[in-house]
Amino acid sequence: DAKTTQPNSMESNEEEPVHLPCNHSTISGTDYIHWYRQLPSQGPEYVIHGLTSNVNNRMASLAIAEDRKSSTLILHRATLRDAAVYYCILSLSGGYQKVTFGTGTKLQVIP
Amino acid sequence: ETGVTQSPTHLIKTRGQQVTLRCSSQSGHNTVSWYQQALGQGPQFIFQYYREEENGRGNFPPRFSGLQFPNYSSELNVNALELDDSALYLCASSSGQGNEQFFGPGTRLTVL
């Protein structure tokens, strides 16, 4: 199963952009890249996903490297509510079978 | 629209006992996945059900089993509980391939 590597923790000042990196060097051609985040005492929450092209939604942007071996989740203006653990995961054909979440990146937002 | 719900919220069992956890998927979702999340770790995939059939399984022993019902709700059963089974068990539903998963709040299982 393809694995992802993320930094254990990151800090950001409130209202500044945040770039969360993810390496997935063993990604296959049919793996989708998903990002989820988990606030304390809650289940994970979907953020964004993509296959090859960069993606934008109301929550964030996803920048995917041309070789697809890495991606970056971009929060355009961090708020205190964005403090969470962010997970980058790969799923074969987007089906979520046998996904591996890893330990994620704990984002701290400083007021 | 009702989100994903799980019951019970918390559960305490002793080693060797059996437990059943329940999940109601979001309306219209035919796919349910179960995850185990140990403290300080990311969720680990247990298995997935699609239209009442198991559709993928992670590295969990056979004493972890499941069911999906015609209304797409699901159960996770764990037999012969071990201390290491203590974790947060998460259920997530989705409407098909490539779509976002909606997670429930989880069931916190403690095995003594």
Side-chain angles (χ1 to χ4, degrees), chain B residues 70-82:
Chain B
N71 66 355
Y72 302 133
S73 66
S74 178
E75 284 183 356
L76 164 66
N77 298 290
V78 187
N79 293 322
L81 283 168
E82 301 177 0

Side-chain angles (χ1 to χ4, degrees), chain B residues 10-101:
Chain B
H10 296 86
L11 202 52
I12 299 174
K13 292 285 190 178
T14 56
R15 273 187 307 175
Q17 285 190 311
Q18 178 266 342
V19 69
T20 297
L21 309 181
R22 294 178 175 83
C23 170
S24 292
S25 60
Q26 186 157 317
S27 176
H29 287 185
N30 56 19
T31 304
V32 172
S33 300
W34 285 92
Y35 296 84
Q36 179 195 68
Q37 186 172 26
L39 205 59
Q41 302 296 313
Q44 300 300 305
F45 176 80
I46 303 174
F47 44 56
Q48 181 183 88
Y49 279 84
Y50 171 67
R51 294 185 175 181
E52 303 179 58
E53 298 286 332
E54 188 177 290
N55 187 39
R57 187 178 182 92
N59 296 322
F60 282 82
R63 60 190 184 84
F64 285 78
S65 63
L67 281 173
Q68 187 178 33
F69 300 100
N71 66 355
Y72 302 133
S73 66
S74 178
E75 284 183 356
L76 164 66
N77 298 290
V78 187
N79 293 322
L81 283 168
E82 301 177 0
L83 296 179
D84 285 348
D85 294 334
S86 295
L88 180 69
Y89 288 85
L90 294 160
C91 162
S93 74
S94 60
S95 60
Q97 303 280 57
N99 293 315
E100 62 182 283
Q101 284 190 322

Side-chain angles (χ1 to χ4, degrees), chain A residues 23-65:
Chain A
N23 288 320
H24 28 78
S25 58
T26 60
I27 191 170
S28 73
T30 52
D31 280 337
Y32 282 74
I33 302 160
H34 299 259
W35 283 82
Y36 282 77
R37 69 180 186 182
Q38 188 172 23
L39 280 65
S41 302
Q42 295 187 24
E45 172 190 34
Y46 169 85
V47 178
I48 200 166
H49 79 281
L51 183 61
T52 56
S53 303
N54 295 343
V55 184
N56 299 296
N57 67 20
R58 64 176 178 80
M59 289 182 70
S61 295
L62 175 60
I64 301 172

Side-chain angles (χ1 to χ4, degrees), chain A residues 18-22 35 47-48 60-63 71-75 86:
Chain A
V18 183
H19 290 231
L20 298 165
C22 181
W35 283 82
V47 178
I48 200 166
S61 295
L62 175 60
S71 61
T72 302
L73 178 70
I74 303 166
L75 306 179
Y86 286 79

